[in-house]
Amino acid sequence: MVVINPWSKRMQPVIGILTAKKKDGTIGGNGSLFIELQKKLISLNGISFIFTLDGVQDDSIDGFTFIPEKNEWERIISPYPDLVYNRIPFRKSEEEIKNSAFFSHLNDKNIPFFNPGFIDKYELYQLFKEHPILQTYMPATIPAFQKQKLSAFLSQYQTIYLKPSQSARGNGIFRLELATEKKLMLNGIRKSEEFITFDHFWNEWENILREKNYLAQEEIQSKTYNGKRFDLRILAHAENDKYIVTGVGIRQSQKQDITTHIPSGGKLLPYTLFKTKELDFFIESVVEQIGIALSQKFGFFGEFSIDAGISETGHYYIYEVNSKPMSFDESEIETKKIEHLCQLFLQLTVHNNY
């Protein structure tokens, strides 16, 4: 059923959640997030709908809205929303959006666009290395597509991580170790390889490193808890012209120590086990500095998550920043996320509505 212009004038704000279709033609994205946002927005007298670029017209948008009473999605044709929230799950789809006329339509209509897009890991590293505060927390990183530079980098640090510059969730990460003067060990989440020389490694991996824009990053000897390394996962949101910490989770490696991500076998630990005034201060300060730096460089960022760590010597490190945070397994953090997002939607749309 198609409902044309379903929004009551009293429903403010109207949030359009931009996503993309999967290869099979179905709509992708975090469905549970979209549903929870809709429920919270309705309680605040607002409403939301999801849409893809295919549904965008000059004066209206064809999409879907969730009806809590029916517990189902309903197709709608709506006027342009008060704000567009970018939750496109695929980088290729996001490039299509950026190359379309959609952004100019939003600018013409003075509609805010929440979050510019995915972050390239090397662009992020370059930005933070020029920052007076954040540079102290960055592991050494170089592009991995020049043979001599990569070989020298490996010789310098003995063990390095190889990461695709545009991946997420730990996908495609490998640890490369100079096991002896010549022999190399390459370990991934699911496979390991041995190379008798760097040349042998390069001959097999050169094309992969180039095609996926791999980065090389020094391995940080991480602090451990009960003999296993752990990382911090920090969720942050904008609030009243500043950036606040929404929640902090701890992820600990188990069967493999390449990554601590839960889908790859990582374990959840409570932040209270590690909480100190010093660690709280580090988290709060980097959240504020990262939020400002990202928004000044790329455009307004209303949310992001940070993967950070602590070395054996007690030094803090920033490993990654994600512009479209995954769901947290901690229910209290997820609840706060929904609240902060909806309050931010209200804050960003108030000038357009009154």
Side-chain angles (χ1 to χ4, degrees):
M1 185 174 79
V2 178
V3 181
I4 299 176
N5 195 6
W7 319 130
S8 161
K9 289 182 180 179
R10 292 173 296 171
M11 302 300 280
Q12 297 288 353
V14 176
I15 305 301
I17 302 175
L18 177 59
T19 183
K21 290 182 179 179
K22 295 185 282 189
K23 290 181 180 179
D24 63 5
T26 58
I27 293 178
N30 189 337
S32 60
L33 170 64
F34 303 158
I35 290 172
E36 292 306 313
L37 285 173
Q38 172 76 324
K39 291 177 179 178
K40 184 64 178 181
L41 280 167
I42 289 173
S43 76
L44 297 170
N45 206 37
I47 203 159
S48 66
F49 66 95
I50 65 172
F51 69 99
T52 68
L53 186 60
D54 292 345
V56 175
Q57 310 298 324
D58 287 340
D59 297 310
S60 65
I61 296 178
D62 188 345
F64 296 85
T65 192
F66 184 77
I67 311 297
E69 295 81 6
K70 298 180 180 179
N71 194 34
E72 64 183 32
W73 293 92
E74 193 168 278
R75 188 180 172 204
I76 57 95
I77 296 176
S78 169
Y80 271 63
D82 299 305
L83 176 146
V84 173
Y85 175 38
N86 177 10
R87 286 299 302 194
I88 299 172
F90 316 117
R91 289 179 184 267
K92 185 177 179 180
S93 299
E94 194 167 81
E95 286 303 313
E96 291 173 2
I97 292 286
K98 290 179 178 179
N99 293 327
S100 73
F102 183 59
F103 281 116
S104 62
H105 284 316
L106 293 183
N107 289 330
D108 292 343
K109 296 174 184 294
N110 195 30
I111 295 173
F113 186 75
F114 184 110
N115 281 359
F118 288 107
I119 306 171
D120 179 275
K121 289 181 175 62
Y122 194 58
E123 283 186 48
L124 184 79
Y125 175 77
Q126 290 176 308
L127 175 64
F128 289 177
K129 280 304 290 183
E130 297 300 318
H131 193 281
I133 296 172
L134 298 176
Q135 63 174 305
T136 61
Y137 304 124
M138 301 305 296
T141 305
I142 63 166
F145 51 77
Q146 292 185 345
K147 181 180 179 181
Q148 279 70 33
K149 287 187 177 180
L150 182 60
S151 178
F153 193 76
L154 177 61
S155 296
Q156 179 179 359
Y157 293 105
Q158 299 295 298
T159 306
I160 62 176
Y161 276 93
L162 296 173
K163 301 179 177 182
S165 64
Q166 297 185 335
S167 72
R169 306 181 184 183
N171 293 328
I173 291 181
F174 292 87
R175 183 170 58 203
L176 184 62
E177 179 184 357
L178 196 57
T180 66
E181 186 177 344
K182 289 186 176 182
K183 188 173 74 174
L184 279 66
M185 290 295 299
L186 183 74
N187 294 302
I189 295 172
R190 295 178 182 85
K191 69 175 184 177
S192 297
E193 292 182 73
E194 183 176 309
F195 300 92
I196 57 174
T197 66
F198 185 85
D199 284 343
H200 285 82
F201 162 76
W202 185 257
N203 289 339
E204 187 171 326
W205 273 78
E206 178 183 7
N207 290 337
I208 300 172
L209 296 176
R210 291 181 184 275
E211 287 170 7
K212 296 189 176 181
N213 294 317
Y214 263 83
L215 302 178
Q217 188 176 85
E218 67 167 311
E219 181 191 40
I220 303 302
Q221 294 300 320
S222 177
K223 195 173 183 179
T224 61
Y225 177 77
N226 290 338
K228 300 287 187 179
R229 62 169 285 226
F230 64 89
D231 292 338
L232 292 82
R233 189 151 169 256
I234 305 158
L235 182 63
H237 288 92
E239 182 180 88
N240 299 324
D241 299 322
K242 63 180 181 180
Y243 287 88
I244 61 168
V245 179
T246 300
V248 183
I250 303 295
R251 305 291 182 266
Q252 186 184 40
S253 64
Q254 293 297 299
K255 294 181 180 179
Q256 53 79 30
D257 62 356
I258 304 298
T259 175
T260 62
H261 289 285
I262 299 295
S264 300
K267 181 182 179 181
L268 202 71
L269 294 175
Y271 178 59
T272 50
L273 284 175
F274 307 90
K275 180 181 172 68
T276 64
K277 288 184 178 179
E278 181 185 357
L279 184 53
D280 280 347
F281 178 77
F282 160 74
I283 292 170
E284 290 168 7
S285 63
V286 295
V287 159
E288 180 71 11
Q289 296 297 332
I290 287 173
I292 293 170
L294 289 178
S295 293
Q296 287 178 345
K297 175 69 174 180
F298 303 112
F300 176 70
F301 272 82
E303 69 175 339
F304 53 88
S305 65
I306 306 165
D307 292 344
I310 309 171
S311 72
E312 288 178 336
T313 59
H315 188 79
Y316 300 121
Y317 284 93
I318 297 169
Y319 298 132
E320 290 187 22
V321 175
N322 303 295
S323 59
K324 299 177 188 179
M326 295 165 55
S327 296
F328 275 68
D329 293 282
E330 296 89 347
S331 59
E332 67 276 12
I333 296 178
E334 281 295 291
T335 299
K336 287 183 181 179
K337 176 175 77 175
I338 298 299
E339 291 174 355
H340 286 169
L341 279 172
C342 290
Q343 289 299 325
L344 186 54
F345 294 158
L346 293 172
Q347 178 189 326
L348 293 172
T349 57
V350 67
H351 299 299
N352 283 10
N353 294 330
Y354 298 100

